[in-house]
Amino acid sequence: MTKRKRQDDFQKVKLKVGKTKPKADNATNVSFRSKGIHLPEQLKRDDSGPTTHRQLGIKDLLSQLHHYSATVKHGALCGLRELLTSHPALVEQHLSTLLSEVAAAFTDKDGSVRSAALRLLRFVAQCVPSERVGPFFPLLSAHLTCAMTHIQVGIQADAMLVLDVLLEHYPTLLAHRHTHLLTNFLELISRQRLSGGAKAGEKAGAGRAGWALSVTPDRSVTAQQWRLTVLLRLSHFLQAVVDERPDEEGVMSADREGGEKGIATPLELNWEDHPFGKRGIQVFENSGSTPTPHSTYRLRPHVDKGVGAEEELSSVEAVRGFAETLVPLLLEVWLETAGADNGQLLSGDAMGLMQQILTILQLLRRLTPQHHLREELDAWLRSTYLSDFKLHFMKNFPYSQLDTPSPKLKKSSHRSRQQALPGSGGGAGVEPLVLNVTLCQVMVTLSHRGSAQPEGTDADWLGPIRCFVRETLTGGTRLSSKHLGALLEVVWRLVVNQKSRAVSEELLQAVYVQYQQRNLTIPVRLMLLRFFSQLYLKERLNRSKILTRWLAALPVQLVQLGSRNPQLSAQILQTLQRAAAWKNKELLSSLQMHACSLYDPQEGCVVLLPVDSQQRLVQMLYFLPAFPPELLSCLSRVCNTGRVSAGLAATLIRIIHLRSSLGGWTSNSEEAAIRDVDYLSFLFSTLTGFSSDELVVLQQAYDDALSPPTPLSPFSVYPTPLEQFTHHWDIVEEVCHCLSTLGSNSQCFDILQNGICKNLVGLTVMPDGVCAAVLRVVARLLDLSFLPSDALLHFLSKCCLSMLSLLLQLEHSAHKREAVWGACLAALSSVPRLLRLLLQSLRVCDMCVEEFPQLAQILSLLMQHTHLRNHMIANAQLLQHIIQELTRYCGGESREQWLTDLLHCYSVTLSGHRGNLY
């Protein structure tokens, strides 16, 4: 038996050349098969909305704001600003989310994130109006409150910047949240004391025992600069609150350059538009001015919330409670600042701090809109803090600025400069004049009212104020409108409150010196004019020599001013009208002296100023002492030049009529302002529309438009433009009305007849308006018991015939045609023998063939009218003779159409009285 070979565990494999190497037992199979995968939907770009340069949409950016990394959040805020800048429509679409996310970043720990959020908020505020932000503003206010009361000083500093943005763009919305934000300002510079008997549940107005100034050492600015920063924002915030409330202050304000509140607007009525009471007249309360809100009715019931910052500052108690907390803190701030300065010389920061303190004190008293409540608050401030104000504010008055060299600042980071920026802007630009004037404004509100003696209880501190105001106004320096307005407010209060004639004259003399300066700007001139005007109109200081001198100079200034500044002229006229109504003798004398210049028809204010000022000038004529012939001549030409409206010219004529003795309004004891002969001359000149000199010039004119006299037109008619004729015709109607109310028509007609015969008879060139006016007034005034003279009758027949010839040429002027035909018809039907004279003057033998059709048209017009039928029948023989002459001269085989029409009209009109025409 063969022996078998033993198998080893690790048997070596023999490799042979040229043979494939066998695979190992543990070899890995690396072979594979691949297939293509297509994902077309996932590889598409997101085109649902715009993106930034990093291909991020608004949803991606908003989601990144919740990231834990400050860098990611900063990038998201910058990306949002980039995206919204290029696509502003996204702001309105995502406004709610944007505001909530930006507001949440107010309290972020990283300063760069807060800065980016501030820039984004400023951009959104520039794009979105307050109406759209209103529903989301409580959220912004809540986050702003959290930032202002945050424990980190950097977040508090950035909260001031956020407040600046909201005050700039949404002051109204921010002012409505004052009950939630005012306490935050106090907590930024002070802390509430809970010890010493004061409990947390007590009201905030605990005075010095409730609040104390606080100092935070880890701020990047000094405590004085930080307080200046906070007080600056507090003053801006209170200003926004005050601006949202109606103001009843009657004192001349510097900021009130626009329309004056509380001034009643007169209700203009034209009684001709309301005949027989068919239309009602709606008269509103106070004639359009703001009503005085003294009513005790409230829309909401009073809720007892305690007095302090948690209650709306709309009552004296609420404002007093807030002032009890704030004013002591302001005094402590000033005491800490004033201890480092030397008397009257203040540093820039100290001046800025004091300016903000005084501004806040001014705004505190303006939080109560009612004037009587403001006086109550002033009385409380006087009794509580006048001694402190005199000790700390008036001790070194007036103040000046201390010149200190500015130190070179070391280079610092952008972040530190940004934190120091809010505090540096409040005191850098405060001038000593502004500071002193503001202090005067605050102190004069605390003075006694009605003190007749200047050396009273307030003389120790009112004396320096009066001296400062007087020296500033008379120093010759040119004041800006803002500075001058503040000084005028101080002068107003001193004059009105003290009631001392010596003090008033002294201060008004200083203001008058400023008023007399040349080359003043228009706002300054207007402000000074309003000051004197309101002081005279409201306070009635009739015994003041300065105001009397100022009033007497107003007519001269109005003449010199002319139309260069209608606003100044309107203010002067308003004062002149009121003073003239109060019968100021000096003013009326000056007005009488310069009346001809004011009412000059070419260069006078009555034709240069706007319509409202023209109306005031015309109304002032009622108070003028006398009307000399020169003035009446100017007024007559003013009515006829067309540079004032026809309605205003009619008003002028009515006023002259009322001032005359013939108008029936002048009593026997009162001397008439107008002589009867001058008044009648005024009416006659106004009736004709042309002066005697103009008529003489018209006779010598050689114009192609003037046709020579003809048998059908005895006068060479001067055609006036349609606008001028319409204007003059309205005046003619008013003159006729005035003449018809003088009493005796026969005497009036006799005077009118003499005027026509003296001034118009004998002229060869007559304006069409004059002819029509004479015919109209004669028909209106003629009495049946009075027979006109032959000269007048011949003149009227020429006028009537000329107007009838003109009537045939007026095809496109319906109004003028109606007026001319109405005047001719009224004269022919009312003046005896006028129609006979007219028919007698129609001599067919003197006419050319071309005039025959016109004559036929005139005769047809006269025969067709009903009012003239009886008169035409009475003159049937003359009419028959004229028609026979026309038929004889135009006889022939073919008869003209116009002659056929004339014969037909004659046969119809005079059928019962027709004679033999052939």
Side-chain angles (χ1 to χ4, degrees), residues 212-400:
L213 293 179
S214 60
V215 178
T216 305
D218 54 347
R219 292 189 186 275
S220 60
V221 294
T222 62
Q224 182 178 354
Q225 292 176 342
W226 172 246
R227 291 165 186 165
L228 177 59
T229 302
V230 176
L231 294 181
L232 178 64
R233 270 66 180 191
L234 177 58
S235 64
H236 293 168
F237 181 73
L238 291 177
Q239 183 66 50
V241 176
V242 170
D243 291 342
E244 291 305 312
R245 299 184 176 183
D247 192 3
E248 281 188 23
E249 185 66 35
V251 177
M252 173 73 184
S253 177
D255 299 330
R256 221 169 287 166
E257 296 184 2
E260 299 173 4
K261 297 181 179 179
I263 300 300
T265 55
L267 182 63
E268 300 292 343
L269 289 179
N270 186 6
W271 296 110
E272 297 177 357
D273 298 337
H274 304 271
F276 308 109
K278 294 181 180 179
R279 294 172 55 187
I281 302 174
Q282 184 67 36
V283 181
F284 296 95
E285 181 186 5
N286 300 293
S287 299
S289 62
T290 304
T292 305
H294 292 324
S295 175
T296 58
Y297 177 73
R298 295 291 182 271
L299 293 176
R300 298 179 182 176
H302 289 287
V303 180
D304 189 10
K305 297 182 180 179
V307 180
E310 295 299 326
E311 185 181 353
E312 290 191 7
L313 298 179
S314 58
S315 62
V316 178
E317 292 77 11
V319 177
R320 183 186 302 177
F322 181 64
E324 287 177 351
T325 303
L326 181 60
V327 175
L329 291 177
L330 297 178
L331 291 174
E332 289 185 16
V333 170
W334 176 242
L335 285 178
E336 289 189 4
T337 305
D341 289 280
N342 300 323
Q344 295 181 340
L345 300 178
L346 300 179
S347 61
D349 290 341
M351 292 186 65
L353 193 61
M354 187 177 186
Q355 176 66 26
Q356 298 308 319
I357 292 174
L358 296 175
T359 304
I360 292 173
L361 291 176
Q362 278 186 306
L363 295 172
L364 276 178
R365 62 179 300 274
R366 292 179 59 189
L367 288 175
T368 54
Q370 290 84 2
H371 185 65
H372 66 288
L373 298 180
R374 194 171 297 177
E375 292 181 353
E376 182 181 348
L377 183 62
D378 290 340
W380 174 79
L381 288 173
R382 173 186 173 87
S383 61
T384 308
Y385 298 109
L386 179 60
S387 59
D388 293 333
F389 291 169
K390 289 193 299 182
L391 177 63
H392 302 306
F393 294 153
M394 295 300 300
K395 180 179 180 181
N396 298 316
F397 176 81
Y399 294 97
S400 302

Side-chain angles (χ1 to χ4, degrees), residues 570 573-574 577 611-620:
L573 283 173
Q574 180 184 2
Q577 188 179 17
V611 178
D612 295 340
S613 299
Q614 289 179 351
Q615 187 174 4
R616 287 186 181 275
L617 276 169
V618 171
Q619 292 172 354
M620 282 169 51

Side-chain angles (χ1 to χ4, degrees), residues 64 67-77 108-113:
Q64 289 182 3
H67 200 272
Y68 66 89
S69 175
T71 306
V72 176
K73 289 188 287 187
H74 178 269
L77 290 170
D108 195 271
K109 296 180 180 180
D110 190 78
S112 62
V113 175

Side-chain angles (χ1 to χ4, degrees), residues 452 495 499-502 504-505 508 535-536 539-551 582 584 586:
V495 171
K499 301 296 183 182
S500 172
R501 186 174 182 180
S504 300
E505 292 296 308
L508 292 179
L535 193 64
Y536 178 78
E539 301 301 327
R540 300 292 299 273
L541 299 178
N542 297 329
R543 294 181 297 174
S544 174
K545 296 181 179 180
I546 304 299
L547 285 179
T548 301
R549 189 190 315 167
W550 170 76
L551 276 174
W582 292 342
N584 187 283
E586 290 78 7

Side-chain angles (χ1 to χ4, degrees), residues 13-140:
V13 178
K14 294 180 179 181
L15 302 176
K16 295 180 179 181
V17 180
K19 300 293 184 183
T20 303
K21 182 180 178 179
K23 294 182 179 181
D25 296 336
N26 59 349
T28 303
N29 186 12
V30 294
S31 63
F32 62 89
R33 292 180 300 176
S34 63
K35 292 183 179 181
I37 300 176
H38 300 281
L39 302 174
E41 297 298 329
Q42 296 184 20
L43 294 179
K44 280 186 177 181
R45 293 184 58 183
D46 187 11
D47 296 333
S48 59
T51 58
T52 62
H53 71 284
R54 298 171 55 194
Q55 306 302 322
L56 294 176
I58 189 169
K59 295 182 179 179
D60 300 329
L61 295 173
L62 290 174
S63 63
Q64 289 182 3
L65 292 178
H66 299 278
H67 200 272
Y68 66 89
S69 175
T71 306
V72 176
K73 289 188 287 187
H74 178 269
L77 290 170
C78 295
L80 282 172
R81 188 164 178 265
E82 174 193 349
L83 185 63
L84 297 178
T85 303
S86 57
H87 302 85
L90 294 176
V91 179
E92 292 286 344
Q93 298 175 10
H94 303 273
L95 182 60
S96 174
T97 308
L98 281 173
L99 292 179
S100 61
E101 297 296 339
V102 171
F106 293 166
T107 55
D108 195 271
K109 296 180 180 180
D110 190 78
S112 62
V113 175
R114 297 195 300 270
S115 300
L118 178 64
R119 290 192 293 269
L120 182 58
L121 176 66
R122 183 177 288 108
F123 174 78
V124 173
Q126 293 173 356
C127 300
V128 184
S130 58
E131 294 80 7
R132 294 281 291 114
V133 181
F136 315 107
F137 202 80
L139 180 63
L140 287 174

